[in-house]
Amino acid sequence: MSSPQKQPPTATPPSPTPQAPSPGPSPPAPRGGGFAARLAELQVKRPALPLLLTGLLTVVAVLLATRLTVLTGFASLLPASRPSVQELDRVAAKTAGVSTLFVVLQGGEGTEARALQRAADALVPEIERIGPPWVGSVEDGVHDAYRYLSPRAGLYVGLDKLTKLRDDIEARYAYEVNKATGALLDDDEPPPEIDARSIEQSLGLGGIDAGRYPDGYYQSKDGKTVVVAIRSKVIASDFAAGTEAIRRVREVVDRVNPASFDPGITYGLAGDLATGIAEYAAINEDLTDVGVAGALLIAAVVFLYYLRVRMLVAMLITIGVGVAWTFGVTQLAIGHLNMATGFLFSIVAGNGINFGIIYMARYLEARRGGADLLEAVRVAHRETWLPTLTAGCAASAAYGSLLVTEFRGFHDFGLIGGVGMVLCWVATFVALPSLLAVMERLVPLDQGSSGLLGGLRRRAQGGVAFGAPFARLAARSPAGLTIAGLALAAIGLVATVTYVRADPMEYDLRNLRNDERARAEQIRLTALAEEITGYVGTDGMAILVDRPEQVEPLRAALYARRDAAPEGEEPFKEIYALQDFVPADQEAKIPLLQEIKDRVVRARKRGLIGDDDWGRIQAVIPPDDLAPFGIADLPAGVARAFTETDGTRGRIVYISPISPESVHDAHYLFRWADSYRETRLPDGSVVRGSGRAVIYADMWAAVIDDVPPAVVFSLAATVLVVLIAFRGGRPAFAVLAALLVGVSWMAGLLVAMDVKLNFLNFIALPLTFGIGVDYAVNIVQRYAREGAGGALTAVRETGGAVILCSLTTALGYLALVRSQNHAVRSLGIAAVIGELACLFAAVLVLPSALLWLDRKLPKGARSFLAVGRSTT
């Protein structure tokens, strides 16, 4: 929120023309009449009525706010009308009904691989008993797939290779027969032997890598890890159901007790269900931590200023009401929060409390001037309602500049922040006076207090002199501070231009996500489980075609794009489809396989194949009833990743990245997204792709498109408000010049700190214009009334209140630095830098420049700004 100009507490009675807290003068109202006076009388004499109304509205708002959910995906930051979002929703509706949960069993030193297998076998039936929706299927290996595909292994071999295998077996069989009958010629070369190894190598295992899955288990090569893979109908974004599913699985695992099979066995949970629930829980915890930290910081600085517990309590209750109303309305207007808006609690509180600060300052000033409770409330109403409303609207306009954007992360942020400023203003003028009345009845304000706190309070006169140090600095060297401030601003502008040309965007996606250190073990287990199981779809993006017949033309088109890319810039690695498991030319291969089987069986009867080899060969030779099969015949274990929620098979295609690490690089994601975003097939149909690659690329494009108009709108609105408030002239120029200095400092500091711009900290740019300008407005308005030399008075008297308002706003932003999310942290850093830069420019460089210019004025001149038209 803006830092409106306000008359800080002093020992003197209020002046007849009180200082306006924001652009535009506050016209005096009749002392005894008007709506403000009648409202003050009601709030002082009958405080229960407005407090009861406030309480009822707050209860309703809190109930609504508790229904808010936090959307954690990048897709929630884009408008629903985006084709990529629509396609993602379409694919999710078909495929997101199944999530994965891994139980990762790990053995200690000396644990045998077989013990891990027995533990996994014991878990499978017990977990299966949990049933839907928590558990849809559970497996500890590829046993079903192995049993189905092994006898059909030959169908996956090419015709040429099958023909050669048949001929080799024929030749070996004939060789052995001739050798046994003595018909073998001396110069006959012995053909390859018929043994298990040669037949297994020729026929394969139906696409199953036997070395990867020892004994058919999801087991690591060193035998120290076995994975039990669970498919759940609970999606990872359903926190309540996901938490319950994990609880049930963990309860079963603890009951089975894998350590009973070997004391060295431990277990952990991983997979996208565990990850999704953990991230959601982390975000909720993060919201609480940031909100509490922001509230404590704001409360501490407010108490430090007033040194009165009652003032602190009254303002905290007031801002609590405003924040509750804000997020109750958010539930009605939007229905959820996202990664950009989830942390607005502390920001709205830090901005919105400034209305109470200004009201309280004027109220205390009136009380120190001898006014009773009723008269002090009347004065505070009359002299602060219009200026604070103006300031609130200016702050709302700063947030509202984000409403011109299409990017939903910005748009929702602007809506919530803009509405929040208005509601916090309403809460201040409805609740705060009544709270003061109740507190006055309990403990009169003029009741003295002894001790250190009482002494400090009397010396502070109702507010610590935050502005005094800045006034002393400005008085020592006004010319030096002015020149230094302008020089730093120039350096900041030059550095910013250079920085922008060098592309300051953040392309490492790990710097936009939650800090992974707290979940390092779960991340390690998930990567390990994915590597062992080889589950498709963990890294790959899903493409959903309309008809299975479109799969092969799509793959041909996509592979053509990949192969046409320059070396080292390939957009993806492979494309997977269920059709891969259905071999071609089955009708031609079956007779060949039957001939091979016939020769092998005859060789066995003649004793040409030993018992050990025969046991292995039996697993891969075809059954007598071998027949062609399609995707509908594949076992569930093979088809599960390619099966839609309604059971449809064959329409899902996965496109995998070049490497698991590459997906963290936004440059690569852009290339990957462009390769499959839209594909036109030979029949004229269009297949669209989505997923995080396309979503992130579209998100960046939206940010780049939306930030310039938001910044321009915010700057234009700020300039317009200043010009109207000061009616042009030198005062307006002085305010805008101070703002430019502050913004230049902000930009220079961001460059010096090498802060990369991302989809979230961009918000700090338009907000800085609309919010940062008010500090200079306050100083200039007070200076315009004081006349020549009044710059120091403005800083000493008005500066304390200005600094307090700025501190509450800055501390609301500073709380974001506690967030686990790197993007949220970067927003907090950028916003705090902008806030403090504009503050120091207003209370240090601006008064120094005015004082320096005043010293050059001829005798009798009122002030440097008097040449222009002031607001008084």
Side-chain angles (χ1 to χ4, degrees):
M1 119 117 206
S2 58
S3 294
Q5 168 189 3
K6 60 188 175 186
Q7 177 72 32
T10 65
T12 59
S15 59
T17 307
Q19 179 183 0
S22 69
S26 178
R31 230 172 179 22
F35 175 76
R38 292 194 297 272
L39 178 61
E41 187 172 356
L42 170 67
Q43 291 170 315
V44 170
K45 295 183 176 180
R46 301 180 62 188
L49 185 60
L51 288 179
L52 179 60
L53 175 62
T54 300
L56 291 175
L57 290 176
T58 303
V59 169
V60 173
V62 168
L63 292 176
L64 289 171
T66 55
R67 295 168 52 192
L68 282 169
T69 58
V70 181
L71 304 182
T72 59
F74 283 156
S76 65
L77 302 177
L78 288 170
S81 59
R82 280 266 178 170
S84 57
V85 175
Q86 293 177 342
E87 181 62 18
L88 182 68
D89 292 341
R90 185 179 80 94
V91 174
K94 295 289 186 179
T95 63
V98 177
S99 58
T100 304
L101 181 65
F102 297 122
V103 180
V104 184
L105 303 175
Q106 294 182 289
E109 192 68 31
T111 301
E112 295 183 357
R114 185 55 191 151
L116 287 164
Q117 293 175 358
R118 290 198 304 272
D121 287 341
L123 284 173
V124 169
E126 294 301 316
I127 294 176
E128 201 167 28
R129 288 193 182 95
I130 296 175
W134 325 111
V135 173
S137 65
V138 56
E139 56 197 11
D140 59 1
V142 294
H143 311 296
D144 291 342
Y146 186 88
R147 281 191 292 268
Y148 183 85
L149 296 178
S150 291
R152 296 164 176 81
L155 292 174
Y156 294 89
V157 181
L159 278 171
D160 292 344
K161 193 173 182 180
L162 280 180
T163 301
K164 184 178 183 304
L165 176 62
R166 180 199 61 185
D167 294 344
D168 287 345
I169 293 175
E170 283 274 11
R172 185 69 192 194
Y173 182 79
Y175 174 85
E176 294 292 345
V177 170
N178 289 336
K179 181 179 177 181
T181 60
L184 188 65
L185 300 179
D186 293 338
D187 58 351
D188 284 349
E189 288 290 333
E193 293 187 5
I194 305 174
D195 57 17
R197 180 174 174 274
S198 63
I199 292 177
E200 283 178 345
Q201 286 182 340
S202 298
L203 293 183
L205 289 173
I208 297 178
D209 183 354
R212 180 171 188 173
Y213 304 110
D215 301 323
Y217 286 90
Y218 292 140
Q219 190 162 24
S220 60
K221 292 181 180 179
D222 63 4
K224 296 298 185 181
T225 304
V226 170
V227 177
V228 177
I230 303 165
R231 292 284 186 170
S232 173
K233 286 293 183 182
V234 176
I235 61 177
S237 59
D238 189 338
F239 180 73
T243 301
E244 177 64 15
I246 291 174
R247 185 195 68 78
R248 290 175 181 241
V249 170
R250 191 181 293 278
E251 185 179 76
V252 168
V253 177
D254 289 340
R255 187 174 69 249
V256 173
N257 188 15
S260 64
F261 296 87
D262 187 289
I265 296 179
T266 60
Y267 83 91
L269 300 182
D272 59 353
L273 181 59
T275 298
I277 299 305
E279 287 186 347
Y280 194 95
I283 287 176
N284 282 339
E285 181 182 349
D286 207 14
L287 291 174
T288 302
D289 288 347
V290 169
V292 170
L296 290 176
L297 289 171
I298 293 168
V301 74
V302 170
F303 177 74
L304 177 62
Y305 185 80
Y306 288 111
L307 297 175
R308 288 182 180 273
V309 174
R310 72 163 67 194
M311 304 309 172
L312 174 64
V313 171
M315 284 197 286
L316 289 183
I317 292 175
T318 301
I319 192 58
V321 169
V323 171
W325 289 0
T326 298
F327 288 94
V329 171
T330 299
Q331 164 62 28
L332 296 176
I334 302 175
H336 61 262
L337 301 173
N338 56 43
M339 293 174 62
T341 60
F343 298 87
L344 266 170
F345 291 92
S346 63
I347 297 175
V348 170
N351 285 193
I353 199 172
N354 292 354
F355 302 121
I357 290 172
I358 293 172
Y359 188 98
M360 191 72 74
R362 191 65 189 92
Y363 167 79
L364 290 175
E365 184 180 357
R367 293 300 303 272
R368 288 195 306 275
D372 61 13
L373 172 65
L374 178 57
E375 183 59 23
V377 170
R378 283 176 175 168
V379 169
H381 270 27
R382 183 175 64 245
E383 297 180 4
T384 64
W385 80 267
L386 183 57
T388 53
L389 179 60
T390 303
C393 291
S396 292
Y399 285 102
S401 66
L402 299 172
L403 294 176
V404 304
T405 65
E406 181 192 21
F407 186 56
R408 189 159 41 159
F410 290 171
H411 186 278
D412 289 358
F413 194 102
L415 178 62
I416 297 172
V419 170
M421 292 304 95
V422 175
L423 292 178
C424 287
W425 180 88
V426 173
T428 297
F429 281 85
V430 170
L432 184 55
S434 298
L435 288 170
L436 292 174
V438 171
M439 291 178 176
E440 180 72 14
R441 293 178 184 179
L442 296 176
V443 181
L445 183 64
D446 55 6
Q447 180 174 308
S449 59
S450 58
L452 178 61
L453 183 60
L456 290 174
R457 186 183 301 155
R458 287 189 292 273
R459 287 178 60 85
Q461 298 279 340
V464 175
F466 285 167
F470 295 96
R472 286 194 293 269
L473 284 173
R476 286 182 181 178
S477 181
L481 286 174
T482 302
I483 294 172
L486 294 175
L488 289 174
I491 293 172
L493 285 175
V494 173
T496 302
V497 172
T498 304
Y499 193 53
V500 170
R501 287 181 176 176
D503 191 359
M505 304 302 179
E506 178 61 79
Y507 293 104
D508 187 345
L509 299 191
R510 286 169 293 198
N511 292 331
L512 303 180
R513 299 180 180 134
N514 284 355
D515 193 331
E516 296 181 346
R517 287 175 296 182
R519 299 188 299 107
E521 178 61 12
Q522 185 184 68
I523 292 171
R524 184 189 71 82
L525 290 179
T526 297
L528 178 63
E530 289 175 353
E531 179 185 358
I532 291 173
T533 60
Y535 266 34
V536 178
T538 53
D539 281 324
M541 298 292 102
I543 305 173
L544 182 65
V545 299
D546 295 326
R547 304 181 306 278
E549 296 77 23
Q550 294 175 309
V551 169
E552 291 309 320
L554 174 64
R555 290 209 288 191
L558 293 178
Y559 276 132
R561 291 179 185 174
R562 183 197 66 179
D563 298 339
E567 185 176 355
E569 296 185 13
E570 292 84 359
F572 61 88
K573 184 177 181 180
E574 297 290 345
I575 300 171
Y576 304 95
L578 188 58
Q579 285 79 351
D580 294 335
F581 294 93
V582 178
D585 302 319
Q586 295 184 60
E587 296 286 354
K589 293 175 182 177
I590 288 176
L592 282 172
L593 288 170
Q594 294 295 358
E595 290 181 31
I596 291 170
K597 178 181 180 179
D598 178 67
R599 298 300 186 272
V600 170
V601 171
R602 290 167 63 185
R604 164 67 175 169
K605 290 179 179 179
R606 284 188 168 270
L608 302 180
I609 300 176
D611 291 341
D612 291 341
D613 281 354
W614 178 246
R616 292 166 57 187
I617 291 173
Q618 278 186 306
V620 295
I621 60 175
D624 293 334
D625 60 350
L626 181 65
F629 65 91
I631 57 177
D633 303 307
L634 291 169
V638 174
R640 191 168 289 122
F642 303 92
T643 303
E644 299 169 35
T645 54
D646 62 359
T648 302
R649 294 180 172 187
R651 300 198 306 161
I652 301 174
V653 177
Y654 290 97
I655 179 169
S656 68
I658 290 295
S659 69
E661 286 301 312
S662 63
V663 299
H664 301 305
D665 181 6
H667 290 107
Y668 170 73
L669 281 189
F670 298 156
R671 190 165 72 247
W672 189 17
D674 290 340
S675 72
Y676 75 94
R677 178 192 298 275
E678 183 174 297
T679 306
R680 185 170 295 277
L681 303 183
D683 64 359
S685 59
V686 175
V687 176
R688 290 185 172 84
S690 188
R692 65 178 176 274
V694 178
I695 290 295
Y696 186 79
D698 282 1
M699 186 180 71
W700 239 166
V703 168
I704 293 172
D705 290 342
D706 287 344
V707 165
V711 172
V712 169
F713 183 90
S714 178
L715 178 59
T718 300
V719 171
L720 182 62
V721 167
V722 171
L723 291 176
I724 293 174
F726 291 98
R727 303 180 213 123
R730 289 187 179 183
F733 172 80
V735 170
L736 295 176
L739 175 63
L740 179 60
V741 168
V743 172
S744 299
W745 287 2
M746 171 192 180
L749 286 170
L750 291 177
V751 172
M753 296 172 63
D754 195 26
V755 175
K756 297 293 185 180
L757 298 180
N758 58 53
F759 69 93
L760 198 51
N761 63 19
F762 258 138
I763 293 174
L765 298 178
L767 291 187
T768 297
F769 290 118
I771 295 176
V773 72
D774 285 327
Y775 309 133
V777 167
N778 289 302
I779 298 299
V780 168
Q781 284 188 334
R782 179 64 182 265
Y783 165 81
R785 284 198 299 273
E786 295 291 338
L792 297 182
T793 303
V795 176
R796 277 194 300 266
E797 302 297 334
T798 300
V802 167
I803 292 169
L804 177 60
C805 288
S806 177
L807 285 176
T808 57
T809 301
L811 292 175
Y813 288 130
L814 187 62
L816 302 183
V817 179
R818 283 182 52 86
S819 172
Q820 299 179 42
N821 186 275
H822 294 290
V824 174
R825 290 179 192 171
S826 69
L827 169 60
I829 292 170
V832 168
I833 290 174
E835 184 73 19
L836 296 182
C838 290
L839 172 66
F840 289 145
V843 299
L844 199 57
V845 177
L846 177 59
S848 297
L850 294 175
L851 184 60
W852 183 30
L853 292 171
D854 279 350
R855 289 178 179 178
K856 297 182 178 183
L857 291 175
K859 289 185 178 181
R862 183 171 183 270
S863 71
F864 172 74
L865 297 186
V867 178
R869 299 177 63 188
S870 76
T871 58
T872 58

